[in-house]
Amino acid sequence: MGIVAPPPSALFRLPNIVARAFSTTMSPPSKAIVYDEQGSPDAVCKVRELPPVPIKDNDVCVRMLAAPINPSDINRIEGVYPVRPPVPAIGGYEGVGEVHSVGPAVKGLGPGDWVIPSPPSSGTWQTYVVKEQSVWHRIDKSTPMEYAATITVNPLTALRMLEDFVDLKSGDAVVQNGATSIVGQCIVQLARVRGLHSINIIRDRAGSNEVKQKLKELGADEVFTESQLDVKNVKSLLADIPEPALGFNCVGGNAASLVLKFLKHGGTMVTYGGMSKKPITVSTSSFIFKDLSLRGFWLQKWMTSEKGKECRNMIDYLLSLTRSGDLKYEYDLFISVFLITISISS
Ligand SMILES: NC(=O)c1ccc[n+]([C@@H]2O[C@H](COP(=O)([O-])OP(=O)(O)OC[C@H]3O[C@@H](n4cnc5c(N)ncnc54)[C@H](OP(=O)(O)O)[C@@H]3O)[C@@H](O)[C@H]2O)c1
């Protein structure tokens, strides 16, 4: 896919800035993570103070509370993501913030409301963001901040991929590699909510039993390391779970071949990431004797489609699942941005 492997997802809290008496038509000054050219984030990202900007009639000034570092954010900074903001640019694409002040023509949003950019919008790695009201979606303030900040990309990707490719019914199964990723964890849980079985593939690692246990606690039916699947007939490992018609691949290489091995005749594998940077190799027999289909998914393209107009309803649905405890991600995959800020500003 040509997408460079990034570091693990990370989430950071932006520092609290005490609001002082600024003019109602200007934002407070902002602290931002800026890059003037594309390249390695360590080399090109700097923390910079930005001056106040005018708040126009339809603008909303938002004090950012939390913003994640997603693999695609890294790819944008590196310049290898197909769509990226022109430089100089402020990093970040998602996050959650609290409305600080609004322009005189803004209706239905006021100071103290929590908002997320939906669809996601570039430049969230700063303390104050000023954008038109249409960018912002108000959310329930009882949502845990970490989920509010991260709902618009990975969980939505998982939801769409479960809906858009194969007509699945309760009792069916899906298979995926990269099951420890945030998208993978969301697939496990959203599948469970829909009554689907999930077969999950993880990398071989020390502590794989603990990782398997955590995924099972999220609702995974089966979790295998890649080496466990080095057998002639992987389906014999499935017991009562039906052969899956749909598989997801965010790794490539051998891990993609393992997804294909599980798929039933006529099944579909959807590729949405390329973490190993290795190509997907498909045997001739997979096409001739199993008639497998290979598809791809890109959320950013989906957002611009007709269905993309529904994204705020889906976000609200996903956020309700986080509030009810039916959707959660494994936090030790996150790293503190405090450390990142230190490393990029030195
Ligand atoms: N197409 C889209 O619209 C779309 C939307 C969202 C995300 N994505 C993509 O989805 C992927 C997952 O994103 P995420 O934020 O959920 O990821 P994440 O939480 O950062 O997790 C990264 C995952 O990749 C695995 N991984 C990392 N390096 C690897 C390697 N060299 N070989 C094999 N596996 C490796 C990790 O496995 P370990 O646990 O073993 O380290 C982990 O499962 C990324 O490629 C991202 O770009 C695509």
Side-chain angles (χ1 to χ4, degrees), residues 1 3-10 69-72 75 81 153-154 157 161 177-185 202-205 211 226 250-251 255 271-278 297-301 333-334:
M1 287 197 45
I3 293 182
V4 172
S9 283
I69 302 172
N70 191 286
S72 57
N75 293 148
Y81 204 72
V153 174
N154 288 337
T157 296
M161 293 196 304
N177 61 30
T180 52
S181 69
I182 302 292
V183 176
Q185 293 176 54
I202 60 172
R203 285 200 279 187
D204 289 273
R205 72 186 74 209
V211 175
E226 290 185 28
C250 72
V251 178
T271 291
Y272 66 98
M275 297 301 294
S276 73
K277 295 187 269 181
K278 295 199 179 115
F297 179 82
W298 187 26
L299 184 70
Q300 196 148 339
K301 174 138 187 304
L333 291 176
F334 288 31

Side-chain angles (χ1 to χ4, degrees), residues 16-88:
N16 279 334
I17 304 270
V18 178
R20 298 200 188 89
F22 291 99
S23 154
T24 51
T25 57
M26 298 297 283
S27 72
S30 191
K31 201 178 209 184
I33 297 179
V34 181
Y35 53 103
D36 294 320
E37 57 182 324
Q38 270 126 11
S40 161
D42 282 349
V44 299
C45 287
K46 303 275 178 259
V47 178
R48 201 170 283 163
E49 301 279 347
L50 302 179
V53 296
I55 300 169
K56 297 198 250 6
D57 283 4
N58 289 304
D59 282 349
V60 176
C61 173
V62 174
R63 182 173 73 88
M64 294 304 293
L65 299 170
I69 302 172
N70 191 286
S72 57
D73 292 321
I74 304 298
N75 293 148
R76 281 189 190 85
I77 296 168
E78 291 169 331
V80 297
Y81 204 72
V83 177
R84 46 191 188 265
V87 288

